């Protein structure tokens, strides 16, 4: 699905805990972080901070990973390897 999307602009909306992505003319994609984060298995409960930081600092990357199978899980696993 995300191979056909053109991600032009994205932002994190803290009030709804969502990523809002402009995907083209008159088209947006809303990704609910709570739902996406719930599919990730964390080594430690505090590891969820990796996803919140990603959503706030790099919302387009979060969106792309959320649309990829195991994308967010792979990201958290990689962050655990580095830390």
């Amino acid at each position: 699905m995300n191979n056909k999307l053109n991600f032009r602009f994205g932002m994190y909306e803290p009030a709804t805990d969502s990523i809002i992505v402009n995907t083209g003319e008159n088209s947006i994609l809303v990704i609910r972080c709570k739902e996406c984060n719930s599919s990730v298995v964390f080594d430690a409960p505090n590891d969820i901070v990796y996803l919140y930081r990603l959503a706030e600092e790099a919302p387009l990357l979060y969106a792309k990973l959320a649309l990829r199978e195991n994308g967010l899980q792979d990201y958290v696993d990689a962050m655990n390897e580095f830390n």
Side-chain angles (χ1 to χ4, degrees):
M1 176 178 156
N2 70 344
N3 293 337
K4 297 179 184 183
L5 292 176
N6 182 13
F7 288 40
R8 295 180 178 201
F9 173 78
M11 63 180 234
Y12 175 70
E13 175 54 58
T16 60
D17 191 26
S18 300
I19 303 291
I20 300 168
V21 180
N22 179 332
T23 60
E25 190 174 322
N26 298 320
S27 180
I28 64 165
L29 173 66
V30 177
I31 297 174
R32 310 255 181 245
C33 297
K34 184 176 181 178
E35 292 173 23
C36 293
N37 295 352
S38 70
S39 68
V40 176
V41 177
F42 300 101
D43 289 346
N46 290 340
D47 289 348
I48 195 164
V49 75
Y50 297 137
L51 296 180
Y52 282 112
R53 177 173 275 167
L54 179 65
E56 291 174 355
E57 296 178 2
L60 288 178
L61 178 56
Y62 183 101
K64 289 178 181 180
L65 291 174
L67 294 173
R68 223 180 261 161
E69 186 175 347
N70 293 322
L72 292 175
Q73 182 69 59
D74 291 343
Y75 178 81
V76 170
D77 292 345
M79 292 303 292
N80 279 324
E81 288 292 318
F82 290 120
N83 295 315

